[in-house]
């Protein structure tokens, strides 16, 4: 795999709907109702139904997976959840993900790629770092 | 507030979780993966894997099984309705592969109080059937303080 420091990987927009949240709930086993019920979300003081943070984390890394072509090359992946992704019942939400190569360590054969994820002009993941085998 | 006494506490190993091939496909679709190694058996084998490999964040499913033991622990006193996910990290020794039988052991790495909230960091070690470490999942939960 040819990576250079400063290289930007092809970005991807992810359209999330309420269906996506139900699908992720089933796949992950996280059935917290704030991810599919407006009434429950509002009762705990949220502006509406939110995407699972782990869904945002899971889809954001796909920009790196798409590029390296093998999920198994991702050795280390971390994020901070900075803002929630609000998913409107009709319009859904779009999370735009970009990624950039930050450093390449020839000794350990690891590259660090940082990911940015933006929804409604807010950065929803912080310190999102992926370490991949090169 | 979270009981600070649980810092350092190690929770018992969870029962074994058998990673299913269709579960991997289901999870991969849910996180918008297009990686053939998550979806197509022949493609995974061509890359040298025994079976489909899981997306990088699939380990959360195993981590949740350990977290459930903490949330059920009265000593920890964590009110799940006040929990917000702060950060998450997965350090893999190898990818999770369909057919793996995984167990996990959770340690409470730290409990901190910050501006009326508690921040609890958990380290969950995930092992395969041969007791080899597959992944370390590190998760920080913010537990909002009571009104």
């Amino acid at each position: 795999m040819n990576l250079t420091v400063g290289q930007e990987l092809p970005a991807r927009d992810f359209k999330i709907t309420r269906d996506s949240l139900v699908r992720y709930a089933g796949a992950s086993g996280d059935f917290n109702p704030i991810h599919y019920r407006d009434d429950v979300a509002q009762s705990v003081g949220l502006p509406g139904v939110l995407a699972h943070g782990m869904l945002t984390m899971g889809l954001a890394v796909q920009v790196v997976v798409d590029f390296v072509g093998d999920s198994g090359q991702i050795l280390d992946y971390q994020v901070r959840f900075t803002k929630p992704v609000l998913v409107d019942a009709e319009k859904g939400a779009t999370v735009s993900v970009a990624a950039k190569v930050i450093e390449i360590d020839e000794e350990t054969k690891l590259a660090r790629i940082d990911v940015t994820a933006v929804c409604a002009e807010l950065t929803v993941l912080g310190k999102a770092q992926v370490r991949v085998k090169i | 507030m979270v009981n600070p006494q649980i810092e350092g506490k190690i929770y018992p190993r969870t029962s074994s979780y058998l990673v299913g091939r269709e579960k991997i496909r289901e999870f991969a679709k849910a996180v918008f993966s297009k990686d053939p190694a998550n979806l197509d058996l022949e493609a995974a084998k061509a890359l040298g894997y025994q079976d489909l490999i899981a997306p990088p964040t699939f380990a959360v499913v195993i981590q949740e099984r350990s977290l459930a033991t903490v949330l059920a622990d009265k000593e920890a006193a964590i009110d799940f309705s006040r929990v917000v996910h702060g950060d998450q990290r997965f350090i893999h020794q190898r990818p999770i592969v369909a057919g793996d039988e995984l167990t996990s052991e959770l340690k409470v790495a730290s409990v901190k109080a910050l501006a009326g909230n508690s921040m609890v960091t958990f380290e969950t070690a995930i092992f395969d059937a041969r007791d080899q470490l597959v992944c370390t999942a590190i998760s920080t939960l913010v537990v909002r303080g009571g009104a």
Side-chain angles (χ1 to χ4, degrees):
Chain A
M1 186 192 344
N2 262 330
L3 289 176
T4 50
V5 172
Q7 182 181 353
E8 292 181 10
L9 310 190
R12 198 168 149 191
D13 282 348
F14 297 87
K15 178 76 197 285
I16 301 178
T17 61
R18 292 286 172 89
D19 305 45
S20 318
L21 305 188
V22 172
R23 182 184 287 267
Y24 185 79
S28 68
D30 182 345
F31 290 101
N32 187 334
I34 64 163
H35 303 304
Y36 52 88
R37 278 182 56 181
D38 291 281
D39 58 332
V40 174
Q42 277 153 19
S43 76
V44 296
L46 296 169
V49 161
L50 309 180
H52 306 73
M54 286 305 306
L55 170 57
T56 308
M57 183 182 187
L59 62 81
V61 76
Q62 296 307 323
V63 166
V64 182
V65 171
D66 290 346
F67 189 79
V68 303
D70 176 0
S71 305
Q73 302 292 102
I74 312 279
L75 297 190
D76 186 342
Y77 177 35
Q78 63 178 315
V79 305
R80 183 164 291 163
F81 300 102
T82 50
K83 290 278 180 213
V85 172
L86 199 60
V87 182
D88 183 83
E90 282 174 23
K91 288 178 250 155
T94 300
V95 179
S96 301
V97 180
K100 189 176 181 179
V101 181
I102 301 299
E103 60 186 38
I104 295 171
D105 189 330
E106 291 295 345
E107 261 179 40
T108 59
K109 295 285 173 205
L110 287 178
R112 183 185 131 200
I113 300 173
D114 284 8
V115 171
T116 56
V118 175
C119 180
E121 297 178 7
L122 294 171
T123 297
V124 294
L125 296 178
K127 208 189 167 194
Q129 303 182 355
V130 186
R131 281 180 174 79
V132 299
K133 249 189 271 180
I134 51 172
Chain B
M1 300 299 280
V2 178
N3 179 4
Q5 300 291 326
I6 63 163
E7 186 167 294
K9 186 169 180 177
I10 294 172
Y11 285 81
R13 245 348 142 92
T14 53
S15 60
S16 160
Y17 176 98
L18 174 60
V19 180
R21 188 186 287 163
E22 299 309 334
K23 191 69 198 176
I24 287 182
R25 286 197 175 106
E26 184 190 356
F27 190 91
K29 286 173 189 160
V31 293
F32 299 83
S33 169
K34 296 189 287 192
D35 182 3
N38 300 153
L39 301 163
D40 175 353
L41 189 57
E42 294 313 312
K45 286 185 171 170
L47 287 168
Y49 299 112
Q50 292 272 327
D51 207 307
L52 295 185
I53 60 166
T57 59
F58 181 77
V60 71
V61 173
I62 313 301
Q63 172 184 272
E64 285 304 311
R65 290 162 60 84
S66 267
L67 269 180
T69 64
V70 182
L71 295 173
D73 176 16
K74 287 194 172 65
E75 190 198 359
I78 296 175
D79 178 356
F80 189 56
S81 70
R82 297 187 163 275
V83 166
V84 180
H85 204 169
D87 54 59
Q88 180 68 45
R89 181 173 189 178
F90 299 104
I91 303 166
H92 276 90
Q93 307 303 312
R94 66 163 177 86
I96 292 173
V97 184
D100 271 337
E101 291 188 52
L102 303 174
T103 56
S104 62
E105 190 177 277
L106 179 148
K107 180 185 171 185
V108 181
S110 69
V111 181
K112 290 175 193 152
L114 193 76
N117 300 323
S118 298
M119 288 178 66
V120 196
T121 301
F122 302 106
E123 283 181 21
T124 306
I126 299 172
F127 301 96
D128 63 17
R130 292 179 302 128
D131 223 20
Q132 300 291 304
L133 182 66
V134 175
C135 177
T136 306
I138 304 167
S139 188
T140 300
L141 302 184
V142 182
V143 186
R144 289 178 294 145

